[in-house]
Amino acid sequence: LRERKVYLTNKRPADIESCAREFCQTEMICGVSLQGRAKLDAHRQAGHQLILVTGAPDFLIRPLAEFLDVPTVFAAKPEQRDSVYTGALIPPLPYGRGKRELILAHAREMGLDLASSYAYGDSPGDHDLLELVGYPLVVNPIRGMARTAQRLGWPVTRWR
């Protein structure tokens, strides 16, 4: 399921993207916690580069990143052929090790010091990314991530 988006097969991007934008506006943006927004503002004021990395499809995440004013986004890119989605994703998939590879490459390209960097995650798919940085934080953990954080000594917080 992470490697394919079968539900997109033979769908036109324009149709999906308009629905995704509407969904993002009505469902996702209102779910962004005040604590999360405050953290983003604090990082922005500190001059940190903001990056959103997710296995969710890019058409769903772009509107959220725009709202949050996050300029760099690594998201799943659905493959298109003959003006429709194929159901496949273009590698690398930004999940698990893919997140790690994308961030390592970006850090090298931009000269970022990952030991001085922050990362936030909630699930096992974020583990490889969280272990790259000097300041990992597990937020609203799911699927056993609280146990993983405890075992590795990572702080855990709950945002509403």
Side-chain angles (χ1 to χ4, degrees), residues 1-96:
L1 288 175
R2 286 181 183 86
E3 295 175 11
R4 297 194 52 80
K5 301 295 182 199
V6 178
Y7 61 90
L8 292 175
T9 304
N10 294 323
K11 303 278 190 318
R12 292 176 350 135
D15 296 337
I16 297 297
E17 290 169 15
S18 67
C19 290
R21 185 167 288 281
E22 182 179 329
F23 178 81
C24 185
Q25 293 293 328
T26 61
E27 303 295 327
M28 293 172 61
I29 288 174
C30 64
V32 176
S33 71
L34 293 176
Q35 297 99 321
R37 290 167 118 179
K39 279 288 188 185
L40 281 173
D41 288 341
H43 285 299
R44 197 174 284 111
Q45 289 174 3
H48 298 161
Q49 184 181 70
L50 301 177
I51 302 168
L52 180 58
V53 56
T54 176
D58 60 357
F59 57 75
L60 189 59
I61 296 305
R62 251 184 272 118
L64 179 62
E66 290 169 11
F67 172 77
L68 296 173
D69 193 24
V70 175
T72 304
V73 178
F74 297 109
K77 294 179 182 158
E79 180 183 70
Q80 296 180 37
R81 189 174 304 128
D82 299 326
S83 301
V84 297
Y85 289 122
T86 66
L89 295 173
I90 299 169
L93 180 64
Y95 183 84

Side-chain angles (χ1 to χ4, degrees), residues 85-137:
Y85 289 122
T86 66
L89 295 173
I90 299 169
L93 180 64
Y95 183 84
R97 287 184 177 220
K99 283 186 180 186
R100 179 185 184 94
E101 292 167 13
L102 284 164
I103 292 301
L104 281 172
H106 184 74
R108 278 191 297 271
E109 182 181 324
M110 302 302 291
L112 301 177
D113 176 14
L114 292 175
S116 299
S117 296
Y118 298 77
Y120 302 83
D122 65 354
S123 68
D126 298 318
H127 178 272
D128 289 337
L129 174 62
L130 291 168
E131 72 179 3
L132 276 180
V133 300
Y135 302 97
L137 180 63

